[in-house]
Amino acid sequence: MKMKHFVPLLVELGIVLLYFVTETEQAQESADIVFLIDGSNKVERAEFQLIHSFIANIVEDLNIGPRAIQIAVVQYSNVPSTEFYLKAYSTKRGILKAMEHLHQKGGHKANVGLALQFLMDKHFIAGAGSRAAEKVPQIMILITSRQSTDDVKNAVFLMKKLGTFIFVVGVKDADADEMKMIATDPSFTILLPDVRRMAPAQTQLMPLLSLIAKKQLVIEVQESKVEAQVSKRDIIFLIAGSSCVEHENFLEMVKFISNIVNKFVIGSDSVQVAVVQYCDDHPLTEWYLNTYTTQSALQSALARLRMNGGREVYTGAALDYVFKNHFTRAAGSRKEDGVPQLLVVITGERSVDDVKVPAEALKRAAVMTIAIGVKNADQAQIKDIAIDPSLIFNVERFQDLHGIKEQVMTPLSTLAGVTITYDQPTEPSIKEVDKKDIVFLVDGSYSRKRRKLPIIQSFITKTIEAFDIGSDTVQVGLVQYSDSATPEFFLNTYSSKDEMLSHVRKLRLRGGTVLKTEEALKYVLKYIFNKYSGSRHEEGVPQFLVLITGGKLNDDVKQTSDALSRAGIKTLAIGFENAIMQQLQEVTLDANLVFDMKDLHSVPEVQQEVLLSLSTLNIPTQTTGLSISPTIKVPTEADKKDIVFLIDGSFNVGDTNLPPIRAFIKSIIETLDIGTDRVQVGLVQYSDIAQPEFFLNTYSRKGELIAHINKLTLRGGTELKTGAALKYVQKYVFTRDAGSRKEERVPQFLILITGGRSKDDIKAPSDALLRSGVMTIVIGAENAIKLQLQEAALNPSLVYSVKEFHSLPEIQQAVLIPLSTLNGVRIISELPTLKTINENPETQERDIVFLIDDSQRAAASFDSIQEFLYSIIKQLNIGEDRNRVAVVQYSEKARVEFPLDAYTDKGDLLAAVQRLRPAGGSVVNTGAAMKHVLEKIFTKAAGSRRADNVPQILVLLTCSKSMDDVKEAADTLKRAAIVTFVIGVPDSDIQELQEIVYFPNLLFEAQDFKSLPEIQEQLLQPLTTLIIKIIKMPHGVTEGHKRDIVFLIDGSSHVGIYFYLIRDFIVNLIPHFDIGKDKDQISVVQYSDDTRVEFPLNALSNKEDALAAVKMLRQKGGSELRTGAALDFVRKNVFSKSRGGRKHLGSSQIMLLITSRKSQDDVRRPSEQLKQAGVVAFIVGIGDVEGSELRQIAYSPNLSFQVDNYLGLSDLDLHMLTVSQRTENVPIPPTIGSGVDRRDIVFLIDGSAKLGKGFQVVRKFMAKIVEGFDVGVGKVQFSVVQFSENPRTEFFLNSHATKKKVLVAIKKLKLKRGKKINVGQALDHVMHEVFTSSAGSRIGNAVPQILVLLTCGKSNDDISQQADKLRELGIVLFGIGLKDADETVLEPLAYSPALAFPVKTIKGLVNIQHQLQQIMKTVAVEVVEKSAGDK
């Protein structure tokens, strides 16, 4: 008699383990056992011996023999190798003897998939001794030390299908999930992190091996629907074959399908594939599902596939055709057998006909449709076609299809079917649900009387008390809202009822006068009902939202309410006070779920009704009538993220704070899905310098990350340089080599955790990170400075502050929200961040030439180009002394439509644009066209005002690769200071466009001509705000291509380890020079206390030798820095004829000085002699070099540059080159006073009684500012004015002629006092009494006029007119708001919003002093961008 017991069903293959209890106690044991063991280098030699002993011990306990149990052993790493076959040894002694000769094979990889296939091909066959044909059990025991380095799925599938018993023993870093996937049953896996403790594994294995050998445990492979859901599937590819696709794109589609199909086992009992091509309204069947039954036949058919052609796309008709003609039994469909039916639609055009009706028919028939949109595909139609939004894939070009292959493979391989639910109007089910997620959204506005708060608290408390609270039962979240929403606690914040109730009892209204219910509903949908905040929606747990409000709904909530409903969230609404019940029905979508709690008597009744609803309602069904959801969740691009932690590792943090930092990072990582194709994590520590712990691509498993973090120790350091650390992560961590997937558009996150004040500038490197697409989240603790945290963060809302590091768990959920919801940043412009400008957009002058590609390819979309051009010009202020516009079209040749002086009236100009017609042409010569506009349009005869220094702009729009060279023409335009904007569409050559464009951020890409309106605003911003100031060079600089360039670099010991960054700076510049005997020559000279020539101008004759020579540079050393002596040396010796100088041959002579500190000798005389000799000196100062000295040495102030630290050199590369190229021939200017910094600065100080003792701090603040400038007649002048009810001038601009006298005057200042302040009156006073020539102002001599307003209260008079008056006079106002200053007034007053500085405390002035000083010193910059506030 036999008893049959079912061991758990293996869903993947329809495999059932059957356990038999036989009447015979002793059954003959027989089995074929193959040991597959990891022999890679991951397993140490001693560990391999332990595995060897483990196998030997198992063999010792088995009954070995030709009719009993046979053993084989195979090693694997890169490739598998046989140690001995099943038939090799028939005795236990023979096997053990053979085992003695077992040696580890080594290898870097662990290809388990390859090894499994090897076993099936070479071992589980009769020739190797397998007795499978005799129904002897086949057993494989895999011993692995890590995750497989190749794909195992297909091999596992085939091995299981053969009925092989698979056991997996994992040691060391074996992947538990992979082990379970490989094993016949999860219970057949044994995980042993320590190889030395393998004895328990033998104890677990032996009983199971015995049962199998006695055939008391057998495998039954069933042909069932379960098997069909994974191993069998019918896949039809529906591809657009119209002529719009083009032949090369069609081949890309075929290649994509071929690569996908190649991953499957093809056959009548596995995967079947059909292909249908369509265009116009007659789809064409290439072959049916049952046409080809082998992989080779299918691939041959794909190779023969040719594009059908046709002019229009009828996707709707094609969907209907496939549904009626292919998803049928006659065409090979196995839908009736439960085999998943999949349709992959690939289209690159908008369908002429409707797609929605046939797509819905496919969905109702349980066909899972994947939609791939390319190029011009209509997104609304793509959404209608796909069965689920997660099954929509979009690429810009057909060539990009290969990039989504793995993403498409996932649903094709894993989707097992769809569940179709038809909604029926039903009564709520009275069924107790153990698990639920409940979120309370509470009106916390000021309009709610505080006496109502206890009622609300009591209501929420009683609701919570009615449920079993816990992470596996009922979870509750709470959000308050008024004008914005604020979470009190998330669903996963509390797992204890007592903690939750304690929080509710301490609840206080958040305040606010406006009630924005729709925004609050959106907030909870996006940020609370997600897995990071604790929602278990994906697990099928019912989701409830309870809205409690006492006000009228001022906004339309219907769209958001529908979204909540579609997301499966059931909303209940409770109204009190002024709430309108009819409005609340729009929120709940069900009148039965609106409850009126307008008086105290109704509270108990409402409480019971709400509790009944929460206790009895299940997950709401969708209201759309039909809901279709895939059985298996498909991974999407949104699951991918690159996250780098940048943590303060200085001594300020201390060892006591390290454990909470480690715990916080681990808690974040625990919530993430770690993997090379999912979330990657990197970690960098910093103090004075940054040091990586691990990069984004170092670890691919969560366990490895956690293990490294557990071992983390502080690197130490006394200073904190956050700015330098931000530059480091941008340059060395968010890169492809370090694992960043930025180029694949994977979201990039930086989480900065710091506990102190940074010693360097944060703003510039933070802006650079933002421009590179990195989203920075900032966490500050203990001594961190709030202003610095805000400068570092992507947005002030992403700054999280805690008093101490031990409080980090309090903000974990808040940090997870942006990590889970932010997808990226859109950079509109990357123009320089300094915003100092005095040009009014209404009066601005510029000459703009549009150079338009009118080749045959562009001509087809000329209407879109014409409309785009019309829209741009419409936004410009056109006039003879305003903006002038010319248009030139080109293909083989350029054709001038109208020059710059043709139209001075906007109406006439727009009419001319409407009359434009394309000429067409087979090829384009962009280089020749650019040369043409330079010679024929940017001339005085054609209306150009280039000679009057009016900005010259060229806007190139092209869709084709040029047939001629563009580099020479582009370089010529740059040297002529003509700023070229470039607009390219997909078929243009990106590398070519980058060569043409003036700055990289002036390159705009559109998907196609129809998409041009999408970039209009991006183009207009720099087009209307960019200012180009021509840098004047001495005669001869631009003649020909001969230049003598000398790098004079600080080689003193002060530079230290950062010398290599100076060397790299030169290395990065050299590729941009045309080095040769009759072209550019370069020399490098080091200096400190003396000067040393590394190589002279005539030493190197090509770029390669120059690069090699620079890379070999070694630091000179020396304690002093004698810059004056070095300048003299260079003039007399390096630029001399004997050392290769070619001044006598007309070559330009350029020197680039790089220095790290103030010179210890005089630089004035040597600088003047250099200028008189015609040497153009560029100078770069690093760190705290005195700005006045830099400007004195530089040929002109425009040619002096200053960076905060050595890392900042990398940001100068391109800027230095563009400056050196924008040149004109003019006589040498006078040397007297050259390089002197001149500006007039007035402090307008709030002297009211409110400032009080803070006046001492203000005095020190002013003194610090003054100390940073070179004060004197003909240099920088200062004035101070105090004000309260009325203003009082303390001293004028011409009162004190030296820095010492100004500082003494500031020190003597006494607080004016007064109860009120009149800012308007004070501003009028400084305009009429201080910024005048009689008071010392040089406003008429183009000297920058700066006003620093410092106020700590609200003005009592009108200030609405003063801002415009100040701008008209060219006065740049910096606004500093202390204490209760009105920030809403301060920002409009400031010259631009960037020059408004709110400071919460008086002591906070020290935090902005350096930043303010730097901006004040650079009000005259070469290329600037107007801020929004300037328009």
Side-chain angles (χ1 to χ4, degrees):
M1 177 184 174
K2 295 182 179 180
M3 292 177 59
K4 184 184 286 188
H5 302 274
F6 284 84
V7 179
L9 179 71
L10 296 178
V11 177
E12 284 186 298
L13 268 172
I15 291 176
V16 181
L17 290 179
L18 304 174
Y19 171 59
F20 297 86
V21 177
T22 65
E23 295 176 306
T24 309
E25 286 294 311
Q26 296 296 325
Q28 172 63 46
E29 290 188 349
S30 63
D32 295 333
I33 304 175
V34 179
F35 287 91
L36 178 61
I37 59 177
D38 186 343
S40 69
N41 294 338
K42 178 77 174 176
V43 179
E44 294 176 9
R45 191 171 297 278
E47 292 170 337
F48 188 81
Q49 288 304 313
L50 291 170
I51 294 171
H52 175 286
S53 300
F54 170 74
I55 298 170
N57 290 337
I58 288 178
V59 172
E60 282 279 9
D61 290 342
L62 294 173
N63 180 22
I64 304 296
R67 299 185 61 79
I69 294 175
Q70 296 184 147
I71 301 290
V73 175
V74 176
Q75 267 196 82
Y76 77 97
S77 56
N78 297 31
V79 294
S81 62
T82 300
E83 296 299 332
F84 51 85
Y85 292 98
L86 290 164
K87 65 180 182 180
Y89 302 102
S90 58
T91 65
K92 190 177 297 185
R93 183 178 178 183
I95 293 171
L96 294 174
K97 189 76 173 172
M99 291 285 293
E100 289 175 6
H101 300 292
L102 189 62
H103 297 292
Q104 188 175 2
K105 73 191 298 292
H108 296 292
K109 294 185 178 180
N111 292 325
V112 178
L114 183 64
L116 294 177
Q117 189 63 51
F118 179 82
L119 294 189
M120 289 183 282
D121 295 342
K122 303 293 183 182
H123 282 266
F124 288 118
I125 58 174
S130 169
R131 297 166 292 173
E134 300 167 29
K135 298 193 176 177
V136 172
Q138 306 290 287
I139 302 171
M140 190 271 289
I141 301 174
L142 169 64
I143 303 173
T144 180
S145 69
R146 54 173 162 163
Q147 189 177 32
S148 177
T149 50
D150 67 348
D151 184 57
V152 299
K153 289 177 184 173
N154 281 343
V156 169
F157 171 81
L158 294 172
M159 186 169 274
K160 287 181 179 179
K161 195 167 184 180
L162 292 173
T164 308
F165 286 89
I166 305 173
F167 293 82
V168 185
V169 179
V171 296
K172 297 188 74 170
D173 298 322
D175 188 298
D177 292 335
E178 187 182 73
M179 288 169 61
K180 289 174 184 174
M181 188 266 287
I182 294 172
T184 302
D185 185 83
S187 63
F188 283 20
T189 62
I190 303 166
L191 186 58
L192 303 165
D194 191 342
V195 184
R196 294 169 295 181
R197 299 180 181 177
M198 295 191 75
Q202 183 181 344
T203 307
Q204 286 178 253
L205 274 175
M206 290 308 296
L208 290 169
L209 293 177
S210 178
L211 286 172
I212 295 168
K214 292 176 181 177
K215 298 186 181 176
Q216 291 180 342
L217 188 63
V218 301
I219 285 179
E220 186 174 294
V221 182
Q222 299 180 340
E223 288 292 326
S224 66
K225 287 186 180 181
V226 178
E227 177 190 350
Q229 286 177 351
V230 175
S231 65
K232 295 181 180 180
R233 52 199 62 245
D234 293 338
I235 306 172
I236 300 175
F237 289 88
L238 178 60
I239 59 176
S242 70
S243 54
C244 300
V245 172
E246 297 181 359
H247 180 67
E248 59 183 6
N249 292 332
F250 185 82
L251 293 180
E252 288 292 338
M253 266 196 292
V254 174
K255 183 179 175 183
F256 173 73
I257 296 169
S258 176
N259 289 336
I260 291 279
V261 170
N262 197 42
K263 294 286 186 180
F264 290 105
V265 178
I266 302 299
S268 56
D269 61 344
S270 47
V271 176
Q272 297 183 151
V273 174
V275 173
V276 178
Q277 194 181 157
Y278 75 99
C279 58
D280 292 338
D281 57 354
H282 49 276
L284 173 68
T285 297
E286 296 294 345
W287 60 84
Y288 294 95
L289 289 164
N290 53 5
T291 303
Y292 300 111
T293 57
T294 66
Q295 181 72 253
S296 59
L298 190 56
Q299 291 293 346
S300 296
L302 282 164
R304 295 191 300 270
L305 202 58
R306 294 293 178 266
M307 188 168 72
N308 193 26
R311 285 181 293 179
E312 294 185 309
V313 173
Y314 287 79
T315 310
L319 292 170
D320 187 59
Y321 175 86
V322 169
F323 175 52
K324 292 176 179 176
N325 296 280
H326 280 265
F327 288 111
T328 63
R329 181 173 289 278
S333 170
R334 297 165 293 177
K335 182 173 68 173
E336 295 173 10
D337 302 325
V339 174
Q341 307 290 288
L342 295 122
L343 174 64
V344 181
V345 180
I346 308 175
T347 182
E349 294 290 330
R350 189 181 191 283
S351 178
V352 174
D353 62 348
D354 175 63
V355 300
K356 194 166 186 177
V357 174
E360 288 293 333
L362 283 162
K363 292 173 185 177
R364 284 193 295 272
V367 174
M368 293 169 284
T369 307
I370 298 168
I372 301 174
V374 189
K375 209 173 180 180
N376 301 321
D378 186 288
Q379 289 305 304
Q381 291 183 341
I382 291 289
K383 189 176 179 182
D384 285 338
I385 292 167
I387 192 169
D388 186 84
S390 63
L391 298 180
I392 295 173
F393 302 90
N394 286 297
V395 291
E396 290 185 4
R397 304 175 308 155
F398 285 90
Q399 289 82 356
D400 298 332
L401 284 169
H402 68 91
I404 62 167
K405 182 184 72 175
E406 294 303 324
Q407 299 168 47
V408 175
M409 273 297 298
T410 302
L412 286 177
S413 306
T414 59
L415 288 180
V418 293
T419 304
I420 302 175
T421 307
Y422 293 93
D423 281 351
Q424 305 269 341
T426 57
E427 292 299 318
S429 160
I430 310 299
K431 179 182 176 182
E432 188 66 34
V433 179
D434 295 328
K435 293 184 180 182
K436 46 182 62 69
D437 293 336
I438 304 169
V439 176
F440 289 95
L441 178 59
V442 178
D443 174 352
S445 65
Y446 285 134
S447 58
R448 310 289 74 78
K449 294 177 182 177
R450 294 192 180 275
R451 63 186 177 83
K452 287 287 185 182
L453 180 59
I455 299 172
I456 295 171
Q457 285 173 305
S458 173
F459 181 86
I460 296 172
T461 297
K462 287 181 180 177
T463 304
I464 292 170
E465 286 174 341
F467 290 105
D468 180 16
I469 301 298
S471 57
D472 58 349
T473 50
V474 176
Q475 296 184 149
V476 176
L478 176 60
V479 177
Q480 275 200 69
Y481 82 101
S482 53
D483 50 347
S484 63
T486 305
E488 290 289 337
F489 51 85
F490 298 91
L491 287 163
N492 54 4
T493 302
Y494 298 120
S495 57
S496 156
K497 186 181 291 187
D498 291 339
E499 290 176 322
M500 193 181 291
L501 291 173
S502 173
H503 191 131
V504 173
R505 292 187 189 105
K506 295 174 184 175
L507 201 64
R508 295 292 177 267
L509 291 179
R510 70 177 301 277
T513 55
V514 181
L515 206 60
K516 295 185 177 179
T517 306
E518 186 200 19
E519 292 299 317
L521 292 172
K522 282 181 180 177
Y523 180 89
V524 293
L525 174 60
K526 188 173 184 180
Y527 297 116
I528 308 299
F529 285 108
N530 66 56
K531 65 179 179 181
Y532 298 99
S533 297
S535 169
R536 297 165 293 176
H537 182 263
E538 293 178 5
E539 301 169 30
V541 174
Q543 308 287 289
F544 292 97
L545 173 64
V546 181
L547 171 66
I548 304 176
T549 183
K552 296 177 182 178
L553 304 188
N554 299 314
D555 41 12
D556 183 14
V557 298
K558 184 155 191 339
Q559 190 174 355
T560 311
S561 300
D562 288 342
L564 282 161
S565 179
R566 285 195 301 273
I569 298 164
K570 179 64 78 175
T571 305
L572 290 73
I574 300 164
F576 62 94
E577 283 189 354
N578 301 318
I580 299 173
M581 297 303 117
Q582 191 174 354
Q583 286 186 333
L584 295 184
Q585 286 182 30
E586 294 180 13
V587 179
T588 65
L589 307 178
D590 185 345
N592 295 319
L593 298 179
V594 176
F595 306 94
D596 190 345
M597 197 169 68
K598 288 193 173 177
D599 55 66
L600 288 171
H601 301 292
S602 62
V603 174
E605 182 183 344
V606 170
Q607 183 90 58
Q608 291 304 314
E609 290 176 352
V610 169
L611 278 172
L612 180 64
S613 298
L614 291 175
S615 301
T616 58
L617 289 175
N618 282 321
I619 300 175
T621 53
Q622 291 179 307
T623 59
T624 53
L626 174 66
S627 112
I628 301 175
S629 58
T631 308
I632 298 173
K633 185 180 182 293
V634 181
T636 66
E637 282 301 311
D639 297 326
K640 294 183 179 182
K641 294 175 182 64
D642 291 339
I643 303 171
V644 175
F645 288 91
L646 177 61
I647 65 171
D648 178 349
S650 67
F651 291 132
N652 296 326
V653 171
D655 291 333
T656 55
N657 287 321
L658 182 59
I661 292 174
R662 277 197 302 235
F664 176 74
I665 295 172
K666 287 192 292 184
S667 66
I668 294 288
I669 290 173
E670 287 289 0
T671 67
L672 305 172
D673 185 13
I674 302 296
T676 52
D677 60 344
R678 297 182 294 281
V679 179
Q680 297 184 149
V681 174
L683 177 63
V684 177
Q685 274 200 70
Y686 81 101
S687 52
D688 49 347
I689 60 172
Q691 178 178 314
E693 289 289 335
F694 49 85
F695 295 99
L696 288 163
N697 55 2
T698 303
Y699 299 121
S700 59
R701 296 195 312 183
K702 191 177 290 184
E704 294 172 326
L705 286 169
I706 299 295
H708 191 127
I709 291 164
N710 284 335
K711 298 174 185 174
L712 199 64
T713 56
L714 288 180
R715 69 173 306 275
T718 54
E719 283 195 334
L720 204 61
K721 294 187 176 179
T722 308
L726 293 173
K727 285 186 177 179
Y728 178 89
V729 294
Q730 183 192 355
K731 190 168 184 179
Y732 298 108
V733 182
F734 286 106
T735 64
R736 182 190 292 177
D737 291 340
S740 169
R741 297 166 293 177
K742 182 168 56 177
E743 294 173 6
E744 301 169 32
R745 298 187 178 178
V746 172
Q748 308 286 289
F749 289 95
L750 175 67
I751 301 178
L752 169 64
I753 304 175
T754 184
R757 177 197 296 275
S758 177
K759 298 288 186 182
D760 59 356
D761 174 57
I762 291 175
K763 186 76 172 67
S766 172
D767 288 345
L769 268 172
L770 173 61
R771 289 195 296 272
S772 71
V774 176
M775 296 168 279
T776 305
I777 298 168
V778 181
I779 300 167
E782 298 187 349
N783 300 316
I785 305 300
K786 187 176 180 182
L787 181 65
Q788 290 186 335
L789 302 181
Q790 290 173 344
E791 284 181 344
L794 169 69
N795 185 284
S797 66
L798 298 180
V799 174
Y800 305 92
S801 297
V802 290
K803 288 185 178 179
E804 54 184 20
F805 287 104
H806 286 84
S807 302
L808 285 171
E810 296 173 7
I811 60 167
Q812 180 186 334
Q813 294 303 322
V815 172
L816 282 170
I817 287 174
L819 281 179
S820 63
T821 55
L822 291 176
N823 292 320
V825 289
R826 184 182 177 199
I827 307 300
I828 301 300
S829 174
E830 293 182 355
L831 293 169
T833 54
L834 288 175
K835 298 179 173 62
T836 312
I837 190 168
N838 58 6
E839 185 183 22
N840 186 335
E842 293 302 314
T843 60
Q844 68 182 10
E845 293 180 286
R846 57 197 61 230
D847 295 337
I848 305 170
V849 178
F850 290 92
L851 180 58
I852 308 296
D853 177 347
D854 75 340
S855 63
Q856 291 171 357
R857 181 175 289 183
S861 302
F862 190 76
D863 288 348
S864 298
I865 296 171
Q866 191 175 36
E867 187 178 337
F868 175 70
L869 194 59
Y870 186 94
S871 301
I872 292 290
I873 293 171
K874 196 174 181 181
Q875 300 293 319
L876 301 176
N877 189 12
I878 304 298
E880 186 176 359
D881 56 350
R882 298 291 185 267
N883 292 308
R884 296 181 182 179
V885 173
V887 173
V888 179
Q889 293 197 65
Y890 80 102
S891 52
E892 292 97 334
K893 294 181 180 179
R895 185 177 80 254
V896 178
E897 297 292 345
F898 46 84
L900 286 162
D901 57 0
Y903 300 104
T904 56
D905 177 76
K906 186 187 288 188
D908 294 341
L909 177 59
L910 292 172
V913 170
Q914 288 180 317
R915 291 193 296 271
L916 292 176
R917 294 294 179 267
S922 56
V923 295
V924 296
N925 292 315
T926 309
M930 290 192 295
K931 187 179 179 183
H932 183 86
V933 294
L934 177 61
E935 294 175 351
K936 302 297 183 184
I937 305 299
F938 287 111
T939 62
K940 188 172 184 179
S944 169
R945 295 164 291 177
R946 186 175 160 210
D948 301 325
N949 288 341
V950 171
Q952 306 289 288
I953 296 173
L954 173 66
V955 181
L956 169 66
L957 194 156
T958 181
C959 68
S960 312
K961 180 172 172 57
S962 179
M963 296 302 290
D964 64 350
D965 177 60
V966 299
K967 191 174 188 308
E968 185 178 350
D971 289 346
T972 305
L973 284 166
K974 289 171 185 174
R975 283 195 295 274
I978 295 168
V979 177
T980 305
F981 290 59
V982 178
I983 303 167
V985 294
D987 293 327
S988 48
D989 186 308
I990 187 68
Q991 190 173 354
E992 183 177 89
L993 302 187
Q994 288 169 345
E995 281 186 339
I996 297 171
V997 73
Y998 194 80
F999 280 133
N1001 52 280
L1002 300 182
L1003 172 58
F1004 305 90
E1005 292 183 83
Q1007 289 185 358
D1008 49 49
F1009 289 110
K1010 292 178 182 177
S1011 304
L1012 285 172
E1014 295 174 10
I1015 64 166
Q1016 181 175 321
E1017 288 304 316
Q1018 298 175 44
L1019 177 70
L1020 272 169
Q1021 186 193 20
L1023 189 65
T1024 56
T1025 62
L1026 196 71
I1027 302 301
I1028 299 92
K1029 182 177 178 182
I1030 309 300
I1031 293 179
K1032 305 295 183 183
M1033 293 293 190
H1035 182 72
V1037 166
T1038 60
E1039 291 177 2
H1041 291 287
K1042 294 180 181 179
R1043 291 182 293 182
D1044 295 339
I1045 303 155
V1046 177
F1047 291 93
L1048 177 60
I1049 61 177
D1050 180 346
S1052 68
S1053 302
H1054 182 261
V1055 174
I1057 61 170
Y1058 297 108
F1059 183 76
Y1060 79 96
L1061 290 171
I1062 295 177
R1063 189 176 60 207
D1064 287 353
F1065 174 65
I1066 301 172
V1067 167
N1068 291 337
L1069 284 175
I1070 287 175
H1072 299 280
F1073 295 120
D1074 188 13
I1075 295 175
K1077 186 178 179 183
D1078 296 316
K1079 299 175 183 176
D1080 291 338
Q1081 293 184 157
I1082 71 164
S1083 168
V1084 173
V1085 180
Q1086 273 198 75
Y1087 81 101
S1088 52
D1089 37 16
D1090 60 358
T1091 308
R1092 181 176 82 196
V1093 178
E1094 296 295 342
F1095 51 86
L1097 286 164
N1098 56 4
L1100 307 169
S1101 58
N1102 60 64
K1103 200 173 290 185
E1104 291 72 24
D1105 291 347
L1107 284 169
V1110 172
K1111 287 176 182 177
M1112 290 175 65
L1113 289 178
R1114 295 296 177 266
Q1115 187 176 5
K1116 176 182 179 298
S1119 57
E1120 293 187 346
L1121 197 69
R1122 300 173 62 81
T1123 308
L1127 295 173
D1128 251 349
F1129 181 90
V1130 167
R1131 177 177 60 83
K1132 293 175 182 177
N1133 299 290
V1134 185
F1135 281 118
S1136 67
K1137 184 177 178 182
S1138 62
R1139 290 295 188 101
R1142 298 170 296 175
K1143 184 180 179 182
H1144 62 291
L1145 298 176
S1147 292
S1148 309
Q1149 299 209 302
I1150 298 169
M1151 182 193 73
L1152 173 57
L1153 168 65
I1154 304 172
T1155 184
S1156 68
R1157 53 184 168 142
K1158 191 178 188 304
S1159 176
Q1160 290 167 281
D1161 64 352
D1162 176 56
V1163 299
R1164 186 183 62 80
R1165 186 187 56 79
S1167 300
E1168 289 180 2
Q1169 289 175 334
L1170 265 178
K1171 291 168 187 171
Q1172 287 168 351
V1175 175
V1176 178
F1178 290 72
I1179 181 164
V1180 177
I1182 303 167
D1184 298 325
V1185 184
E1186 197 167 292
S1188 58
E1189 182 175 282
L1190 301 184
R1191 289 185 289 276
Q1192 192 172 42
I1193 298 171
Y1195 181 78
S1196 80
N1198 304 75
L1199 303 185
S1200 72
F1201 303 87
Q1202 198 157 4
V1203 293
D1204 293 330
N1205 51 46
Y1206 294 89
L1207 290 169
L1209 287 170
S1210 62
D1211 298 334
L1212 276 181
D1213 293 354
L1214 179 65
H1215 195 52
M1216 292 296 297
L1217 286 167
T1218 54
V1219 168
S1220 68
Q1221 290 164 347
R1222 286 193 302 279
T1223 56
E1224 283 192 349
N1225 300 326
V1226 296
I1228 301 172
T1231 58
I1232 306 295
S1234 178
V1236 174
D1237 184 23
R1238 300 193 301 165
R1239 55 201 68 231
D1240 296 335
I1241 302 172
V1242 178
F1243 290 105
L1244 180 58
I1245 306 299
D1246 182 339
S1248 66
K1250 195 166 189 178
L1251 190 60
K1253 293 180 180 179
F1255 189 67
Q1256 295 177 5
V1257 180
V1258 172
R1259 273 202 315 244
K1260 288 180 182 177
F1261 170 73
M1262 288 191 288
K1264 282 283 187 185
I1265 294 287
V1266 171
E1267 284 172 357
F1269 288 92
D1270 187 14
V1271 180
V1273 178
K1275 299 178 183 177
V1276 180
Q1277 301 180 151
F1278 283 94
S1279 167
V1280 175
V1281 178
Q1282 274 197 77
F1283 72 97
S1284 50
E1285 288 95 343
N1286 49 63
R1288 180 178 79 199
T1289 302
E1290 300 292 351
F1291 55 87
F1292 292 99
L1293 288 162
N1294 55 3
S1295 297
H1296 303 297
T1298 67
K1299 184 185 293 188
K1300 186 176 180 180
K1301 288 181 180 179
V1302 172
L1303 291 172
V1304 169
I1306 288 174
K1307 192 173 182 179
K1308 290 179 180 178
L1309 291 176
K1310 304 295 182 187
L1311 184 67
K1312 181 179 184 295
R1313 298 193 176 278
K1315 294 182 181 179
K1316 298 178 181 178
I1317 60 169
N1318 292 314
V1319 178
Q1321 187 180 339
L1323 291 171
D1324 282 336
H1325 174 81
V1326 293
M1327 281 189 280
H1328 297 126
E1329 305 295 334
V1330 183
F1331 285 110
T1332 63
S1333 56
S1334 59
S1337 170
R1338 294 163 292 180
I1339 194 167
N1341 300 328
V1343 173
Q1345 305 291 290
I1346 298 170
L1347 175 63
V1348 181
L1349 168 65
L1350 193 152
T1351 179
C1352 62
K1354 295 182 179 179
S1355 180
N1356 282 279
D1357 64 348
D1358 178 53
I1359 56 173
S1360 60
Q1361 306 299 315
Q1362 277 77 1
D1364 289 338
K1365 290 178 182 177
L1366 285 163
R1367 288 192 181 93
E1368 285 170 13
L1369 290 171
I1371 298 168
V1372 179
L1373 187 145
F1374 291 68
I1376 303 171
L1378 294 169
K1379 292 185 176 179
D1380 300 324
D1382 191 341
E1383 291 180 23
T1384 60
V1385 172
L1386 195 66
E1387 202 167 279
L1389 265 181
Y1391 194 79
S1392 82
L1395 301 185
F1397 301 86
V1399 181
K1400 294 300 180 187
T1401 64
I1402 297 287
K1403 291 181 179 179
L1405 283 172
V1406 71
N1407 297 331
I1408 65 166
Q1409 177 247 319
H1410 178 71
Q1411 182 185 4
L1412 189 70
Q1413 203 170 49
Q1414 291 302 109
I1415 300 174
M1416 288 167 71
K1417 288 180 178 181
T1418 54
V1419 291
V1421 293
E1422 183 212 351
V1423 180
V1424 295
E1425 172 202 7
K1426 258 191 288 191
S1427 70
D1430 296 330
K1431 291 183 180 180

